[in-house]
Amino acid sequence: MRAGRVEFTSILPENTQAAIIQPIGSEGVLIAASNTQRGFTRLDQAWASTIADKLDASLEATEGSKTSEVTAASTTT
């Protein structure tokens, strides 16, 4: 058994040989898995980081608009 494998057996597919665990802001995570050992290049890692940043910005914008809708609704009643 390889180090770190036990922690992810309930999350990742059985034949996972490599994984990228990339934070999305302070509350989320992006997980990408590969069935080949060392299956991610530096470019793949950079791509995952960029996607995580874009997701974080989108989620923050969505949450910000929901907050302003709630604030507007509470001030009009």
Side-chain angles (χ1 to χ4, degrees), residues 6-51:
V6 173
E7 291 88 347
F8 298 107
T9 56
S10 64
I11 299 170
L12 298 173
E14 188 173 316
N15 193 30
T16 299
Q17 299 292 313
I20 295 176
I21 314 298
Q22 179 69 41
I24 299 174
S26 61
E27 297 183 32
V29 65
L30 179 144
I31 301 173
S34 173
N35 64 352
T36 57
Q37 213 171 29
R38 294 180 187 90
F40 296 105
T41 65
R42 290 190 190 276
L43 183 60
D44 295 327
Q45 294 170 21
W47 173 85
S49 177
T50 300
I51 295 298

Side-chain angles (χ1 to χ4, degrees), residues 51-75:
I51 295 298
D53 290 344
K54 289 182 182 280
L55 282 170
D56 183 41
S58 294
L59 292 170
E60 282 183 6
T62 301
E63 190 161 305
S65 68
K66 286 182 181 178
T67 302
S68 63
E69 288 173 14
V70 170
T71 304
S74 65
T75 57

